[in-house]
Amino acid sequence: MNYVDKVEFHFQSILRLVETQTDCKRRTKTEDNEENLELQNWSDLPTELLELIMFRLTLEDNIRASVLCKRWHAVAVSVRVVNQSPWLMYFPKFGNLYELYDPSQRKTYPLELPELYGSRVCYTKDSWLLLYRPRTHRVFFFNPFTRAMIKLPRFELTYQIVAFSCAPTSPSCVVFTVKHISPTVVAISTCHPGAMEWVTNNHQNRLPFVSSIWNKLVYCKGVFYCLSLTGWLGVFDPQKRDWGVLAVPPPKCPDNFFAKNWWKGKFMAEHNGDILVIYTCCSENPIIFKLDQSTMVWEEMKTLDNVTLFASFLSSHSRTDLPGIMRNSVYFSKVRFFGKRCISYSLSDCRYYPRKQCYDWGEQDPFENIWIEPPQDVSAFI
């Protein structure tokens, strides 16, 4: 079947889907519309229908179809998927049945993981989870797609925020935690796969720094960036074991952003060397800031362009080249409509999807779910 046949096949499939979802009266009208469409040129297809067709094509067929005309090229590029979106992984309160939600397909896949019994998630990166067993103080990495496990020395993780630099299979992997002892002193602990113990040092702050309740922590250009409870930015270089608080005033938000549970509704991500923070409020649209590293000032972002952010309490991610409808948006770790639709905010439309979904993040358990990068080949889970 060549790509033209595939386009026609998907077109007819969509028409049949529309027919099955309408009543008898509307079905008659749909059949008339189908006859009219058959009399029109392929280039006259409605844009919304053409986007659905192009999205269903493989990447190879999408590229081939894009050369037919300028309009098809623009639509094909707008929905072309080069990267996979992260999946939202749900951790059960009881039992070993976990769920993985794919926001691009709006599908959920179950996964039995008895290896994680009694543990809580701390962070994710490169398809790996960092987990902690409070009863035994066991810290370990786990890849839910390969079932690989890598143990670290035991360590008590109480109120520390924690992250790691890259996959634990890499020799450059570093695990980092920070906890404030006082407004002017923090305790920083580091470890790496294969180490026999954690290394802990206390560091003085020239500026007050109280670590956030949940992770506002990213690894970027060889250093860890950490957002404090009040918006100050701490930086740790694991090679030099050097810590400091940048003299960058916190992002400026309207006063109502500091109402109930204000400290929970903040998220932090990294994209191509840029540090981004997302401030949310239960009654307002979110605000996104980027650190201008030349002037060391937080700047409000009115657009993300081709970027999509995926925000959760414990780790957040960024992606480019996702389906057109997902671009220039922030996807939050909350799913509505019986697990069928992820809450998102579109910077293009300046609104939440679904509508009126401003959310009080104080109501959500931070260990309930986390975004994780799926493997390149997801056929085993579909």
Coordinates of all heavy atoms in Angstrom, one line a residue, residues 86-91 98 100 116 120-132 140-145 161-168 173-176 215 217-219 224 268-270 310-319 333 366-374:
P86 N 6.8 12.2 27.0 CA 6.9 11.3 28.3 C 5.6 10.7 28.6 O 4.6 11.2 28.2 CB 7.4 12.4 29.3 CG 7.9 13.5 28.6 CD 7.2 13.6 27.3
W87 N 5.7 9.6 29.4 CA 4.5 9.0 29.9 C 4.3 9.3 31.4 O 5.3 9.5 32.1 CB 4.5 7.5 29.7 CG 4.4 7.0 28.3 CD1 4.2 7.8 27.2 CD2 4.4 5.7 27.8 NE1 4.2 7.0 26.0 CE2 4.3 5.7 26.4 CE3 4.5 4.4 28.4 CZ2 4.3 4.6 25.6 CZ3 4.5 3.3 27.6 CH2 4.4 3.3 26.3
L88 N 3.1 9.4 31.8 CA 2.8 9.6 33.2 C 2.7 8.3 33.9 O 1.8 7.5 33.6 CB 1.5 10.4 33.4 CG 1.3 11.1 34.7 CD1 2.4 12.0 35.2 CD2 -0.1 11.8 34.7
M89 N 3.6 8.0 34.9 CA 3.6 6.7 35.6 C 2.9 6.9 36.9 O 3.3 7.7 37.7 CB 5.0 6.2 35.8 CG 5.1 4.9 36.4 SD 6.8 4.3 36.5 CE 6.6 2.7 37.3
Y90 N 1.9 6.1 37.2 CA 1.1 6.1 38.4 C 1.6 5.0 39.4 O 1.8 3.9 39.0 CB -0.4 5.9 38.1 CG -1.1 7.2 37.6 CD1 -1.1 7.5 36.3 CD2 -1.7 8.0 38.5 CE1 -1.7 8.6 35.8 CE2 -2.3 9.2 38.1 CZ -2.3 9.5 36.8 OH -2.9 10.6 36.3
F91 N 1.7 5.4 40.6 CA 2.2 4.5 41.7 C 1.0 4.1 42.6 O 0.4 5.0 43.1 CB 3.3 5.2 42.5 CG 4.6 5.3 41.8 CD1 4.8 6.2 40.7 CD2 5.7 4.4 42.1 CE1 6.0 6.3 40.1 CE2 6.9 4.5 41.4 CZ 7.0 5.4 40.4
Y98 N 1.0 -1.0 38.3 CA 1.3 0.3 37.9 C 0.6 0.7 36.6 O 0.4 -0.2 35.8 CB 2.8 0.6 37.9 CG 3.5 0.4 39.2 CD1 3.7 -0.8 39.7 CD2 4.0 1.5 39.9 CE1 4.3 -1.0 41.0 CE2 4.6 1.4 41.1 CZ 4.8 0.1 41.7 OH 5.4 0.0 42.9
L100 N 0.8 3.3 33.1 CA 1.6 4.3 32.3 C 0.6 4.9 31.3 O 0.0 4.3 30.5 CB 2.7 3.5 31.5 CG 3.7 2.9 32.4 CD1 4.6 1.9 31.6 CD2 4.7 4.0 33.0
L116 N 9.2 -3.0 43.0 CA 9.1 -1.7 43.6 C 8.3 -1.7 44.9 O 8.0 -0.6 45.5 CB 8.4 -0.7 42.6 CG 9.1 -0.6 41.2 CD1 8.5 0.6 40.5 CD2 10.6 -0.4 41.4
R120 N 9.1 4.4 47.3 CA 8.5 5.6 46.8 C 9.5 6.3 45.8 O 10.7 6.2 45.9 CB 8.2 6.6 47.9 CG 9.4 7.3 48.5 CD 9.0 8.2 49.7 NE 10.1 9.0 50.1 CZ 10.2 9.5 51.3 NH1 9.2 9.3 52.2 NH2 11.2 10.3 51.7
V121 N 8.9 6.9 44.8 CA 9.7 7.5 43.7 C 10.3 8.8 44.2 O 9.6 9.6 44.9 CB 8.8 7.6 42.5 CG1 7.7 8.6 42.7 CG2 9.7 8.0 41.3
C122 N 11.5 9.1 43.7 CA 12.1 10.4 44.0 C 12.4 11.3 42.8 O 12.3 12.5 42.9 CB 13.5 10.1 44.7 SG 13.4 9.2 46.2
Y123 N 12.7 10.6 41.6 CA 13.1 11.4 40.5 C 13.2 10.5 39.3 O 13.2 9.2 39.4 CB 14.5 12.0 40.7 CG 14.9 13.1 39.8 CD1 14.4 14.4 39.9 CD2 15.9 12.9 38.7 CE1 14.8 15.4 39.1 CE2 16.2 14.0 37.9 CZ 15.7 15.2 38.1 OH 16.1 16.3 37.3
T124 N 13.1 11.0 38.0 CA 13.2 10.3 36.8 C 14.1 11.0 35.8 O 14.1 12.3 35.8 CB 11.9 10.0 36.1 OG1 11.3 11.2 35.7 CG2 11.0 9.2 37.0
K125 N 14.8 10.2 35.0 CA 15.6 10.8 33.9 C 16.1 9.7 33.0 O 16.4 8.6 33.5 CB 16.8 11.6 34.4 CG 17.5 12.5 33.4 CD 18.7 13.2 34.0 CE 19.3 14.2 33.0 NZ 18.5 15.3 32.7
D126 N 16.0 9.9 31.7 CA 16.5 8.9 30.7 C 15.9 7.5 30.9 O 16.6 6.5 30.9 CB 18.1 8.8 30.8 CG 18.7 10.1 30.5 OD1 18.1 10.9 29.8 OD2 19.9 10.3 30.9
S127 N 14.6 7.5 31.2 CA 13.8 6.2 31.4 C 14.1 5.5 32.7 O 13.6 4.4 32.9 CB 14.0 5.2 30.2 OG 13.6 5.8 29.0
W128 N 14.9 6.1 33.6 CA 15.3 5.5 34.9 C 14.5 6.2 36.0 O 14.4 7.4 36.0 CB 16.8 5.5 35.1 CG 17.6 4.5 34.3 CD1 18.0 4.7 33.0 CD2 18.0 3.2 34.7 NE1 18.7 3.6 32.6 CE2 18.7 2.7 33.6 CE3 17.9 2.5 35.9 CZ2 19.3 1.4 33.7 CZ3 18.4 1.2 36.0 CH2 19.1 0.7 34.9
L129 N 14.1 5.4 37.0 CA 13.5 5.9 38.2 C 14.6 5.8 39.3 O 15.4 4.9 39.4 CB 12.3 5.0 38.7 CG 11.1 4.9 37.7 CD1 10.3 3.7 38.2 CD2 10.4 6.2 37.7
L130 N 14.6 6.8 40.2 CA 15.3 6.8 41.4 C 14.3 6.6 42.6 O 13.4 7.4 42.7 CB 16.1 8.1 41.7 CG 17.0 8.1 42.9 CD1 18.1 7.0 42.9 CD2 17.6 9.5 43.2
L131 N 14.5 5.5 43.4 CA 13.5 5.2 44.4 C 14.1 5.0 45.7 O 15.4 4.8 45.9 CB 12.8 3.9 44.0 CG 12.0 4.0 42.6 CD1 12.7 3.0 41.6 CD2 10.6 3.6 42.8
Y132 N 13.3 5.1 46.8 CA 13.7 5.0 48.1 C 12.8 4.2 49.0 O 11.5 4.3 48.9 CB 13.8 6.4 48.7 CG 14.1 6.5 50.2 CD1 15.4 6.1 50.7 CD2 13.2 7.1 51.1 CE1 15.7 6.2 52.0 CE2 13.5 7.2 52.4 CZ 14.8 6.7 52.9 OH 15.1 6.8 54.2
F140 N 17.8 3.1 45.3 CA 18.2 2.4 44.1 C 17.5 2.9 42.8 O 16.5 3.7 42.8 CB 17.7 0.9 44.2 CG 16.2 0.7 44.4 CD1 15.5 0.2 43.3 CD2 15.6 0.9 45.6 CE1 14.1 0.0 43.4 CE2 14.2 0.7 45.7 CZ 13.5 0.2 44.6
F141 N 18.2 2.6 41.7 CA 17.7 2.9 40.4 C 16.9 1.7 39.8 O 17.2 0.6 40.1 CB 18.8 3.2 39.4 CG 19.6 4.5 39.7 CD1 20.8 4.5 40.3 CD2 19.1 5.7 39.2 CE1 21.5 5.6 40.5 CE2 19.8 6.9 39.5 CZ 21.0 6.8 40.1
F142 N 15.9 2.0 39.0 CA 15.1 1.0 38.4 C 14.6 1.5 37.1 O 14.0 2.6 37.0 CB 13.9 0.5 39.3 CG 13.2 -0.7 38.8 CD1 13.7 -1.9 38.9 CD2 12.0 -0.5 38.1 CE1 13.0 -3.0 38.4 CE2 11.2 -1.6 37.6 CZ 11.8 -2.8 37.8
N143 N 14.8 0.6 36.0 CA 14.2 0.9 34.7 C 13.0 0.0 34.5 O 13.1 -1.2 34.4 CB 15.2 0.6 33.6 CG 14.8 1.1 32.3 OD1 13.6 0.9 31.9 ND2 15.7 1.7 31.5
P144 N 11.8 0.6 34.5 CA 10.5 -0.2 34.4 C 10.4 -0.9 33.1 O 9.6 -1.9 33.0 CB 9.4 0.8 34.7 CG 10.0 2.1 34.3 CD 11.4 2.0 34.6
F145 N 11.1 -0.5 32.1 CA 10.9 -1.0 30.7 C 11.9 -2.2 30.5 O 11.6 -3.1 29.7 CB 11.1 0.1 29.7 CG 10.3 1.3 29.9 CD1 10.8 2.5 30.4 CD2 8.9 1.2 29.7 CE1 10.0 3.6 30.6 CE2 8.1 2.3 30.0 CZ 8.6 3.5 30.4
I161 N 15.6 17.2 48.9 CA 15.2 17.0 47.5 C 16.4 16.4 46.8 O 17.6 16.6 47.1 CB 14.9 18.4 46.9 CG1 16.0 19.4 47.0 CG2 13.6 19.0 47.5 CD1 15.7 20.7 46.3
V162 N 16.1 15.6 45.7 CA 17.1 14.7 45.2 C 16.9 14.6 43.7 O 15.8 14.7 43.1 CB 17.0 13.3 45.8 CG1 15.7 12.7 45.6 CG2 18.1 12.4 45.2
A163 N 18.0 14.5 42.9 CA 18.0 14.3 41.5 C 19.3 13.6 41.1 O 20.2 13.4 41.9 CB 17.9 15.7 40.8
F164 N 19.4 13.2 39.8 CA 20.6 12.6 39.3 C 20.8 13.2 37.9 O 19.9 13.7 37.2 CB 20.6 11.1 39.3 CG 19.5 10.4 38.5 CD1 19.6 10.0 37.2 CD2 18.2 10.2 39.1 CE1 18.6 9.4 36.5 CE2 17.2 9.6 38.4 CZ 17.4 9.2 37.1
S165 N 22.1 13.1 37.5 CA 22.5 13.9 36.3 C 22.2 13.2 35.0 O 21.9 13.8 34.0 CB 24.1 14.1 36.3 OG 24.8 12.8 36.4
C166 N 22.3 11.8 34.9 CA 22.0 11.1 33.7 C 21.8 9.6 34.1 O 21.8 9.3 35.2 CB 23.2 11.2 32.7 SG 24.8 10.7 33.4
A167 N 21.6 8.8 33.1 CA 21.3 7.4 33.3 C 22.4 6.7 34.2 O 23.6 7.0 34.0 CB 21.2 6.6 32.0
P168 N 22.0 5.9 35.1 CA 23.1 5.3 36.0 C 24.0 4.3 35.3 O 25.0 3.9 35.9 CB 22.2 4.5 37.0 CG 20.9 4.3 36.4 CD 20.7 5.4 35.4
C173 N 27.3 9.5 35.9 CA 26.1 9.7 36.7 C 26.5 10.1 38.1 O 27.3 9.5 38.8 CB 25.3 8.4 36.7 SG 23.8 8.4 37.7
V174 N 25.8 11.1 38.6 CA 25.9 11.6 39.9 C 24.5 11.8 40.5 O 23.6 12.4 39.9 CB 26.7 13.0 40.0 CG1 26.8 13.5 41.4 CG2 28.0 12.9 39.4
V175 N 24.3 11.4 41.8 CA 23.1 11.6 42.5 C 23.4 12.7 43.5 O 24.4 12.7 44.2 CB 22.6 10.3 43.3 CG1 21.3 10.6 44.0 CG2 22.5 9.2 42.3
F176 N 22.5 13.7 43.6 CA 22.6 14.9 44.4 C 21.4 15.1 45.3 O 20.3 15.0 44.8 CB 22.8 16.1 43.4 CG 22.7 17.4 44.0 CD1 23.7 18.0 44.8 CD2 21.5 18.1 43.8 CE1 23.5 19.2 45.4 CE2 21.3 19.4 44.4 CZ 22.3 19.9 45.2
N215 N 10.7 18.5 44.8 CA 11.8 18.8 43.9 C 11.6 20.0 42.9 O 10.6 20.0 42.2 CB 12.1 17.6 43.0 CG 12.9 16.5 43.8 OD1 13.2 16.7 44.9 ND2 13.2 15.4 43.1
L217 N 14.4 21.0 40.9 CA 15.8 20.7 40.7 C 16.1 20.1 39.3 O 15.3 19.2 38.9 CB 16.2 19.6 41.8 CG 17.6 19.2 42.0 CD1 18.5 20.4 42.4 CD2 17.7 18.1 43.1
V218 N 17.1 20.7 38.6 CA 17.4 20.2 37.3 C 18.9 20.1 37.2 O 19.7 20.9 37.9 CB 16.8 21.1 36.2 CG1 15.3 21.1 36.2 CG2 17.4 22.5 36.3
Y219 N 19.4 19.3 36.3 CA 20.8 19.2 35.9 C 21.0 19.8 34.6 O 20.4 19.4 33.6 CB 21.3 17.8 35.9 CG 22.7 17.6 35.7 CD1 23.7 17.8 36.6 CD2 23.2 17.1 34.4 CE1 25.0 17.6 36.4 CE2 24.5 16.9 34.1 CZ 25.5 17.2 35.1 OH 26.8 17.0 34.9
F224 N 24.0 21.3 39.0 CA 22.6 21.2 39.5 C 22.1 22.5 39.9 O 22.7 23.3 40.6 CB 22.5 20.2 40.7 CG 22.8 18.8 40.3 CD1 24.1 18.2 40.5 CD2 21.8 18.0 39.9 CE1 24.3 16.9 40.2 CE2 22.0 16.6 39.6 CZ 23.3 16.1 39.8
M268 N 9.9 23.1 37.8 CA 11.2 23.6 37.3 C 11.6 22.6 36.2 O 11.5 21.4 36.4 CB 12.2 23.7 38.4 CG 13.5 24.3 37.9 SD 14.6 24.5 39.3 CE 16.0 25.4 38.6
A269 N 12.1 23.1 35.1 CA 12.5 22.2 34.0 C 13.7 22.9 33.3 O 14.1 24.0 33.5 CB 11.4 22.0 32.9
E270 N 14.3 22.1 32.4 CA 15.5 22.5 31.6 C 15.2 22.2 30.2 O 14.7 21.2 29.8 CB 16.7 21.8 32.1 CG 18.0 22.1 31.4 CD 18.2 21.3 30.1 OE1 17.7 20.2 30.0 OE2 19.0 21.7 29.2
F310 N 6.4 19.2 30.4 CA 5.7 18.2 31.2 C 6.1 18.3 32.6 O 7.2 18.0 33.0 CB 6.0 16.7 30.7 CG 5.5 16.5 29.3 CD1 6.4 16.9 28.2 CD2 4.3 16.0 29.0 CE1 6.0 16.7 26.9 CE2 3.9 15.8 27.7 CZ 4.7 16.1 26.6
A311 N 5.1 18.8 33.4 CA 5.4 19.2 34.8 C 4.8 18.3 35.8 O 3.6 17.9 35.7 CB 4.9 20.6 35.1
S312 N 5.6 17.9 36.8 CA 5.2 17.1 37.9 C 6.0 17.5 39.1 O 7.0 18.1 39.0 CB 5.3 15.6 37.7 OG 6.6 15.2 37.5
F313 N 5.5 17.1 40.3 CA 6.2 17.5 41.5 C 7.6 17.1 41.6 O 8.5 17.9 42.1 CB 5.4 16.9 42.8 CG 4.2 17.6 43.1 CD1 2.9 17.0 43.0 CD2 4.2 18.9 43.6 CE1 1.8 17.7 43.3 CE2 3.0 19.6 43.9 CZ 1.8 19.0 43.8
L314 N 8.0 15.9 41.2 CA 9.3 15.4 41.5 C 10.3 15.5 40.3 O 11.5 15.5 40.6 CB 9.1 13.9 41.9 CG 8.3 13.6 43.1 CD1 8.2 12.2 43.4 CD2 8.8 14.4 44.3
S315 N 9.8 15.6 39.1 CA 10.7 15.9 38.0 C 9.8 16.4 36.8 O 8.7 15.9 36.6 CB 11.6 14.7 37.6 OG 10.8 13.7 37.0
S316 N 10.4 17.3 36.0 CA 9.7 17.8 34.9 C 10.6 17.7 33.6 O 11.8 17.7 33.8 CB 9.3 19.3 35.1 OG 8.5 19.4 36.2
H317 N 10.0 17.6 32.5 CA 10.7 17.4 31.2 C 10.3 18.4 30.1 O 9.2 19.0 30.2 CB 10.4 15.9 30.7 CG 10.7 14.9 31.8 ND1 11.9 14.2 31.8 CD2 10.0 14.4 32.8 CE1 11.9 13.4 32.8 NE2 10.8 13.5 33.4
S318 N 11.1 18.5 29.1 CA 10.7 19.3 27.9 C 10.9 18.4 26.7 O 11.8 17.5 26.6 CB 11.6 20.5 27.9 OG 13.0 20.2 27.7
R319 N 10.1 18.7 25.6 CA 10.2 18.0 24.4 C 9.9 19.0 23.2 O 9.2 20.0 23.4 CB 9.2 16.9 24.3 CG 9.5 15.7 25.1 CD 10.7 14.9 24.5 NE 10.9 13.7 25.3 CZ 11.6 13.7 26.4 NH1 12.1 14.8 27.0 NH2 11.8 12.6 27.1
S333 N 0.6 16.9 35.6 CA 0.5 15.5 36.1 C -0.8 15.2 36.7 O -0.9 14.6 37.7 CB 1.6 15.2 37.1 OG 1.6 16.0 38.2
P366 N 2.2 14.1 46.1 CA 3.4 14.3 45.2 C 4.0 13.0 44.7 O 4.6 12.9 43.7 CB 4.4 15.1 46.0 CG 4.0 14.9 47.4 CD 2.5 14.7 47.4
F367 N 3.7 11.9 45.5 CA 4.3 10.6 45.1 C 3.3 9.8 44.3 O 3.5 8.6 44.0 CB 4.7 9.8 46.4 CG 5.7 10.6 47.2 CD1 5.3 11.2 48.4 CD2 7.0 10.7 46.8 CE1 6.2 11.9 49.2 CE2 7.9 11.4 47.6 CZ 7.5 12.0 48.8
E368 N 2.2 10.4 43.9 CA 1.1 9.7 43.2 C 1.6 9.3 41.7 O 1.3 8.2 41.3 CB -0.1 10.5 43.1 CG -1.2 9.9 42.2 CD -2.4 10.8 42.1 OE1 -2.5 11.8 42.8 OE2 -3.3 10.5 41.3
N369 N 2.3 10.2 41.1 CA 2.8 9.9 39.7 C 4.0 10.7 39.4 O 4.4 11.6 40.1 CB 1.6 10.2 38.7 CG 1.1 11.6 38.8 OD1 1.8 12.6 39.1 ND2 -0.2 11.8 38.7
I370 N 4.6 10.4 38.2 CA 5.7 11.2 37.7 C 5.9 10.9 36.2 O 5.5 9.9 35.7 CB 7.0 10.7 38.5 CG1 8.2 11.6 38.3 CG2 7.4 9.2 38.1 CD1 9.3 11.4 39.2
W371 N 6.4 11.9 35.5 CA 6.7 11.8 34.1 C 7.9 11.0 33.9 O 8.9 11.2 34.6 CB 6.8 13.1 33.4 CG 5.6 14.0 33.4 CD1 5.3 15.1 34.1 CD2 4.4 13.8 32.5 NE1 4.0 15.6 33.8 CE2 3.5 14.8 32.8 CE3 4.1 12.8 31.5 CZ2 2.3 14.9 32.1 CZ3 2.9 12.9 30.9 CH2 2.0 13.9 31.2
I372 N 7.9 10.0 32.9 CA 9.0 9.2 32.6 C 9.1 9.0 31.1 O 8.1 9.0 30.4 CB 8.9 7.8 33.3 CG1 10.2 7.0 33.1 CG2 7.7 7.0 32.9 CD1 10.3 5.7 33.9
E373 N 10.4 9.0 30.6 CA 10.6 8.9 29.2 C 10.4 7.4 28.8 O 11.1 6.5 29.3 CB 12.0 9.3 28.9 CG 12.3 10.8 29.2 CD 13.7 11.1 29.2 OE1 14.5 10.5 28.4 OE2 14.1 12.1 29.9
P374 N 9.5 7.1 27.8 CA 9.3 5.7 27.4 C 10.5 5.3 26.5 O 11.2 6.1 26.0 CB 8.0 5.8 26.6 CG 8.0 7.2 26.1 CD 8.6 8.1 27.1

